[in-house]
């Protein structure tokens, strides 16, 4: 009887031991992933989802920039703001200009007048650059930038501030 009781206790322990250790024992026996492996997989999926969302957010930002650029170009076109292309610039200036865009506040047939005007603009706090055109004119460029939105804002400021109501944008590309 005592022996039968020990067998029952051992049998009950054998039955309850897997219950105390969780489902991982049964999962291993069945060839299924354990809870640790499931958690690792869940964490990996979460990281992949976050990376994917980051890529989607990046695409949204690029789309917004393109949309803003197109809207800006439409604004320039509709407001009769001149955007002069680089082909009108003399080769020597084309190679020395550091930025893509400049606000042109004057163009002079006499280079000395351009130099004098650049000095006057400098007294107003703007750094002026002399730009030679193929037709012999020398332009005075200010507010250089590589961003169209930035140079367009500078153009509006120059025009609205009375510095040069006839200013235009030079595109150096």
């Amino acid at each position: 009887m005592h022996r039968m009781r020990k067998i029952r206790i051992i049998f009950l322990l054998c039955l309850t031991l897997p219950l105390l250790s969780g489902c991982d024992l049964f999962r291993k026996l069945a060839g299924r992933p354990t809870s640790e492996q499931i958690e690792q997989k869940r964490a990996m999926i979460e990281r992949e989802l976050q990376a994917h969302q980051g890529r989607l957010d990046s695409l949204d930002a690029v789309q917004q920039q393109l949309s803003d650029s197109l809207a800006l170009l439409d604004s320039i076109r509709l407001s009769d703001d001149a955007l002069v292309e680089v082909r009108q610039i003399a080769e020597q200036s084309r190679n020395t200009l550091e930025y893509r865009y400049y606000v042109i506040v004057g163009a002079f047939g006499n280079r000395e007048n351009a130099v004098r005007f650049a000095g006057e603009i400098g007294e107003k706090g703007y750094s002026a650059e002399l730009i030679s055109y193929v037709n012999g004119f020398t332009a005075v460029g200010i507010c250089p930038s590589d961003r169209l939105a930035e140079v367009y804002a500078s153009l509006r400021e120059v025009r609205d501030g009375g510095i040069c109501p006839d200013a235009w944008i030079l595109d150096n590309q």
Side-chain angles (χ1 to χ4, degrees):
M1 183 102 150
H2 188 48
R3 185 175 173 157
M4 195 63 151
R5 191 169 203 211
K6 278 186 175 182
I7 292 176
R8 269 196 219 163
I9 291 174
I10 292 174
F11 181 73
L12 285 174
L13 282 175
C14 287
L15 285 176
T16 58
L17 186 62
L19 296 176
L20 295 175
S21 68
C23 297
D24 284 343
L25 177 67
F26 294 120
R27 288 182 182 175
K28 280 183 182 179
L29 292 173
R32 308 285 295 167
T34 64
S35 54
E36 181 181 334
Q37 292 168 328
I38 291 171
E39 181 57 31
Q40 288 173 351
K41 181 72 171 183
R42 189 201 61 73
M44 183 189 72
I45 290 171
E46 183 65 32
R47 285 191 303 271
E48 287 175 356
L49 285 174
Q50 288 175 351
H52 181 68
Q53 187 60 47
R55 289 188 297 272
L56 289 176
D57 292 345
S58 178
L59 285 173
D60 287 344
V62 168
Q63 285 177 328
Q64 184 62 46
Q65 288 173 347
L66 287 173
S67 177
D68 292 347
S69 293
L70 291 173
L72 181 60
L73 288 172
D74 283 344
S75 295
I76 291 172
R77 185 180 52 80
L78 293 174
S79 65
D80 294 328
D81 291 328
L83 185 63
V84 177
E85 296 175 357
V86 73
R87 63 189 151 110
Q88 298 173 5
I89 299 173
E91 190 70 33
Q92 67 191 37
S93 284
R94 189 177 311 151
N95 295 331
T96 60
L97 293 177
E98 196 173 327
Y99 295 92
R100 177 168 181 178
Y101 301 107
Y102 290 82
V103 174
I104 304 299
V105 291
F108 302 87
N110 182 331
R111 186 168 179 84
E112 300 307 318
N113 290 340
V115 170
R116 186 175 39 76
F117 187 67
E120 292 173 15
I121 290 294
E123 291 172 5
K124 294 180 181 181
Y126 292 96
S127 177
E129 177 123 15
L130 298 176
I131 302 167
S132 300
Y133 278 75
V134 292
N135 63 3
F137 276 72
T138 302
V140 177
I142 61 172
C143 306
S145 177
D146 287 324
R147 296 186 57 230
L148 184 58
E150 193 175 288
V151 79
Y152 184 68
S154 297
L155 174 68
R156 304 297 328 151
E157 178 184 310
V158 166
R159 285 182 172 178
D160 295 344
I163 293 170
C164 182
D166 296 329
W168 68 89
I169 297 172
L170 170 68
D171 183 353
N172 184 30
Q173 266 194 358

